[in-house]
Amino acid sequence: MMNRRNLLKMMAMTGSLVIPVGRQAWAAVGDDSTATKRKLVVVMLRGAADGLNVVAPYGDANYARLRPTIGLARPGQDGGVLDLDGYFGLHPALASLQPLWEQKKLAFIHASGSPDATRSHFDAQDYLESGTPGRKSTQDGWLNRLLTVLPGTTSPTRAISVGPLMPRILTGRAPATNLAAGAAGTKESILDRPKIGSAFDQMYQSSDKFASTYQEGRDAHKEVMTASMKDEMRAADGGAPLPNGFPNDAAHLAKLMRNDPKIQIAFVALGGWDTHAYQGNGKGQLANRLAPLGQGLATLAQGLGPVFDDTIIVVMSEFGRTARQNGNGGTDHGHGNVMWVLGGGVAGGKVYGDWQGLGDGQLHEGRDLPVTTDFRSVLAKVSERHLRLSDQQLMQVFPEMPISKAGLNFMLG
C-alpha cells in the first residue's frame, strides 16, 4: 500500500499532477497514454444490503405476505416501486437511476451471490473480495489478480480505492493506491447540541407549513447518527463510511477518471446496510441509504461523460437478507442478493438471473433467496466481454470458477 507521502513523492519524480478526490483525499494524475480505455468500477455495500427491497419482486404474492410492513407498495401507490418489467420494481429512493434504466445502461442480476453458506459478514466479505468462496488461505484479492493480467503498464495509480483502508480486494503483488473518502455524511451538526436542537424543535412545532418537513429532516439525521454509532453495524461495515457523502466523492472520482486515462480500476466501499431493525419501506433507514447511493452512481455516470461508454460499474454486497421480515421491522442475514451493472457496454433495461420465486419451497433453507448465479460468473462475464480477458486469464483471476449458465447475456458484444 502506498501512503500519501510516497504517492506525492512518486508524482513529483514523474512530473505528474495531483487533484482532490474527497475532502481528505488526493489522487495522482499520470500521463501514461498507453493504458486501455476500458475501465471498471466496483462499489461494495458492506453490511449485506437488502436486495429484495432494492429490486423488489412485487409481482410475487409471497413478497407482500413475507414483508407486511417493510415490503414496498406496488407501482403507482404511495411509496410504491418504480416498475421495471411488470414483475420487479426498483426502490423509489433510487429514482435517480431510472434514466439509465430507460437508456438500457443499467441491469440487475437477481438471486446472485456467493455460493458459500456463511452468514458472517467478515467471512462473506472476505470471499467476495478474494474471489475464492470457502477458502480463507487466498492471499490476494481478485481485483489485484486482474491487474496482473491486464495488458498495458502497471502502476500504483492504475487502480485506486476510495475508503479508510486498502481493501482486501486490491491486496496483492500488483501496486494500487488507497485514498480516504470524505466523512461529512456522519458529521455532527449544530442541531445535535441538546439546547439548540430543543429550541429549533419548539420553533418549528408551531408552524403548520414547515413542521412536517423539519421533523422528517431531524428524524433522518438522527437515524444516520444513531446508525453510525451502532457497534454491530460499524463492525459489519468494516470501517466503510455511510453513503451520505458518496455523491460528492463520485463527482470527484468521475473527474479524476475522465481526465486521467491512466486510471483503469476503482473501488469504493460504503457501509450502513445491516438493517436488522426499523428498516422502513419506501421511506426510512434503507431508503436513506439508497438515495445517496443512487445519486452518487448517477453523478458518476454523468460525470464520466463519454468515458462512461467505456466503463462498467458493478455494485455488490456480501449476501442478501431474509425474505421474511423479523419482529423488529428489519431483516436478518440471508443468502442470495442482487448485483447491479451499469455502463455503456451493458445490455440493460432487464432483470437477469434464474429467479425461482419466494414460495416456502423455493427459499434457501426455507428462509432466504437462493443463489442461482455465482457472483464470479457475473464478474467473469464483465472481465471477458469488457476487459477482453482470455479463458486462461480468467482462470488466473477466478480459480475454480464454475461454468457460467446460459442466458446470462447482460453484456453487449
Side-chain angles (χ1 to χ4, degrees):
M1 171 180 171
M2 173 173 288
N3 61 33
R4 181 177 303 191
R5 176 175 296 179
N6 290 336
L7 176 67
L8 294 173
K9 183 178 180 181
M10 182 197 72
M11 292 299 99
M13 292 173 63
T14 59
S16 301
L17 304 174
V18 290
I19 65 175
V21 170
R23 291 171 179 77
Q24 306 173 32
W26 293 77
V29 178
D31 57 359
D32 185 357
S33 59
T34 62
T36 176
K37 290 170 58 180
R38 294 176 176 265
K39 302 176 186 297
L40 173 64
V41 178
V42 177
V43 178
M44 184 157 175
L45 309 181
R46 298 192 188 276
D50 181 20
L52 284 174
N53 267 21
V54 172
V55 178
Y58 74 87
D60 188 325
N62 292 297
Y63 173 71
R65 176 180 63 84
L66 293 166
R67 299 182 165 209
T69 63
I70 69 166
L72 298 170
R74 298 178 68 85
Q77 299 179 353
D78 184 32
V81 296
L82 306 172
D83 188 38
L84 295 178
D85 59 5
Y87 183 89
F88 290 106
L90 190 65
H91 195 291
L94 293 171
S96 54
L97 294 179
Q98 198 168 23
L100 290 172
W101 175 265
E102 294 170 350
Q103 296 165 20
K104 300 190 183 307
K105 293 184 177 181
L106 166 65
F108 299 96
I109 300 92
H110 225 318
S112 57
S114 171
D116 191 88
T118 182
R119 300 186 195 279
S120 160
H121 291 294
F122 315 106
D123 289 345
Q125 289 178 23
D126 185 87
Y127 297 152
L128 210 61
E129 294 183 75
S130 71
T132 58
R135 178 146 55 95
K136 293 188 176 182
S137 59
T138 303
Q139 297 297 310
D140 49 11
W142 68 264
L143 266 184
N144 195 281
R145 294 196 297 275
L146 176 65
L147 286 168
T148 66
V149 301
L150 285 172
T153 305
T154 297
S155 72
T157 56
R158 191 176 195 182
I160 61 174
S161 168
V162 181
L165 299 168
M166 177 62 77
R168 172 87 161 92
I169 199 169
L170 273 171
T171 300
R173 61 188 174 91
T177 296
N178 190 68
L179 309 163
T186 57
K187 185 178 180 180
E188 289 189 356
S189 75
I190 192 171
L191 293 180
D192 291 311
R193 300 175 189 176
K195 290 185 178 179
I196 297 177
S198 177
F200 271 80
D201 289 347
Q202 293 178 20
M203 180 174 68
Y204 279 98
Q205 280 175 357
S206 60
S207 169
D208 295 335
K209 184 176 181 181
F210 297 113
S212 176
T213 301
Y214 171 78
Q215 192 57 48
E216 287 179 4
R218 286 281 279 160
D219 290 344
H221 180 70
K222 285 180 180 177
E223 184 268 325
V224 168
M225 294 304 297
T226 300
S228 71
M229 292 184 289
K230 290 180 179 177
D231 290 342
E232 182 179 358
M233 183 174 284
R234 287 196 298 182
D237 292 346
L242 298 178
N244 302 65
F246 181 52
N248 287 335
D249 286 343
H252 290 297
L253 179 61
K255 180 179 179 181
L256 182 61
M257 295 182 68
R258 189 182 64 229
N259 293 337
D260 179 14
K262 192 174 180 180
I263 296 175
Q264 190 175 7
I265 305 291
F267 176 81
V268 179
L270 301 172
W273 307 97
D274 198 19
T275 51
H276 285 283
Y278 310 114
Q279 178 173 311
N281 42 37
K283 296 181 179 178
Q285 184 181 177
L286 181 62
N288 292 339
R289 302 286 188 273
L290 291 175
L293 171 62
Q295 292 162 9
L297 292 172
T299 297
L300 181 58
Q302 183 176 16
L304 285 171
V307 177
F308 183 61
D309 289 337
D310 295 316
T311 302
I312 295 294
I313 303 170
V314 177
V315 182
M316 59 185 189
S317 196
E318 65 263 33
F319 46 67
R321 308 195 71 84
T322 48
R324 186 188 302 276
Q325 71 177 69
N326 62 27
N328 295 318
T331 48
D332 298 320
H333 299 177
H335 192 46
N337 207 329
V338 62
M339 296 177 72
W340 322 12
V341 284
L342 306 84
V346 172
K350 183 176 179 179
V351 179
Y352 293 86
D354 181 7
W355 178 261
Q356 299 183 356
L358 296 179
D360 292 340
Q362 296 162 321
L363 296 177
H364 171 72
E365 298 182 350
R367 48 170 279 174
D368 304 325
L369 190 67
V371 172
T372 57
T373 299
D374 191 303
F375 76 99
R376 292 168 295 181
S377 297
V378 177
L379 300 174
K381 184 73 72 176
V382 172
S383 301
E384 176 194 6
R385 297 291 181 85
H386 179 61
L387 300 175
R388 308 300 189 192
L389 262 60
S390 66
D391 290 346
Q392 183 178 9
Q393 290 171 323
L394 285 175
M395 290 308 298
Q396 294 179 45
V397 179
F398 301 108
E400 304 174 5
M401 181 181 63
I403 298 175
S404 296
K405 292 184 177 180
L408 193 63
N409 299 316
F410 63 87
M411 294 292 297
L412 298 173

